[in-house]
Amino acid sequence: MKLLPTLFAGAALALSAIAAQAEVRFGVMNESYPPFFAKDASGQWHGWEIDLMNAVCAEMKEKCAIVDISWDGLIPALESKKFDVIWSSMSNTAERSKVIDFTDKYYNTPSTLIGPKDQKAGATADDVKGKTIGIQVSTIQSEYYKKYFAEAADEKTYQTLDEAFQDLASGRIDYVFGDSLALDAFLKSDGGKDCCAKMGDVADDKEILGAGVSGGLRKEDTELKAKLNAAIAAVRANGQYDAITKKYFDFDIYGAK
């Protein structure tokens, strides 16, 4: 019987070691979203958001893995515990916060309209009147369209932005509406630089467009949220965030404080 405390102590240490090495699974959309994330020919993920994930995991001293799934399946998959945190350029909005929790933000960029180069620039309801706007499903831009553009323009929805870009380049739609950085990457690509241009950023609406991009969590995972927030803050404070960002952008994408 005198051996029992020693045995229990040894078991507790073993469990502690296992917990420290537990895998934290990051849910990522299963399509390329450059420069934030993309999968190369060998199946390896890379991009700004992946580099940031690796830095955050190192700060947490956790082993991390990526689980990829369709954009509109990310929140249901999180809730069913297929992974632990959504890390996929998801904006923290009031509507989503009814269902899941969020970490502190790790970047924030405006929403933008792009269209053919010969089209008059502008990003208001009057500017898009009678036109067709391509929008990825289940995005903040889709909700913004319903409030501000629905009475003026038609919406065509897509599972991926790449599909919308193809229709824009071929003239089947008049605009694509999405995050400015993702759209800017298309405008710099071979498929976009000749056909299309930025029409303008839409007026901000924080209730719809959110308070910035954050990691999505189950509401009960408060310990993981605290660890992620501490790691995000540390990466920003120690210079890693800026070093990662400079590899992909020539400006600060964190946004207003």
Side-chain angles (χ1 to χ4, degrees), residues 138-182:
S138 302
T139 59
I140 55 176
Q141 288 80 24
S142 182
E143 293 305 309
Y144 191 96
Y145 164 85
K146 293 172 187 174
K147 182 174 180 179
Y148 292 100
F149 294 149
E151 293 185 7
D154 293 325
E155 177 189 34
K156 186 171 182 181
T157 57
Y158 297 87
Q159 288 298 314
T160 71
L161 273 177
D162 281 344
E163 294 170 320
F165 293 150
Q166 290 170 19
D167 274 3
L168 178 63
S170 63
R172 287 189 286 269
I173 58 176
D174 303 294
Y175 296 96
V176 171
F177 183 31
D179 180 82
S180 62
L181 292 183

Side-chain angles (χ1 to χ4, degrees), residues 77-97:
L78 175 70
E79 293 182 296
S80 63
K81 299 189 176 181
K82 291 182 179 177
F83 50 77
D84 307 298
V85 52
I86 296 172
W87 198 260
S88 194
S89 289
M90 181 171 282
S91 294
N92 175 356
T93 67
E95 192 64 26
R96 289 171 179 155
S97 293

Side-chain angles (χ1 to χ4, degrees), residues 33 36-37 49 71 74-75 86-98 100-111 138-141 143 178-180 204-217:
Y33 192 66
F36 294 100
F37 49 86
E49 216 158 347
W71 170 258
L74 283 169
I75 290 178
I86 296 172
W87 198 260
S88 194
S89 289
M90 181 171 282
S91 294
N92 175 356
T93 67
E95 192 64 26
R96 289 171 179 155
S97 293
K98 294 175 183 177
I100 63 173
D101 202 358
F102 284 94
T103 67
D104 295 338
K105 77 166 185 179
Y106 53 84
Y107 83 86
N108 191 18
T109 50
S111 290
S138 302
T139 59
I140 55 176
Q141 288 80 24
E143 293 305 309
D179 180 82
S180 62
D204 194 19
D205 181 331
K206 282 189 168 52
E207 183 176 351
I208 295 176
L209 299 180
V213 167
S214 306
L217 299 146

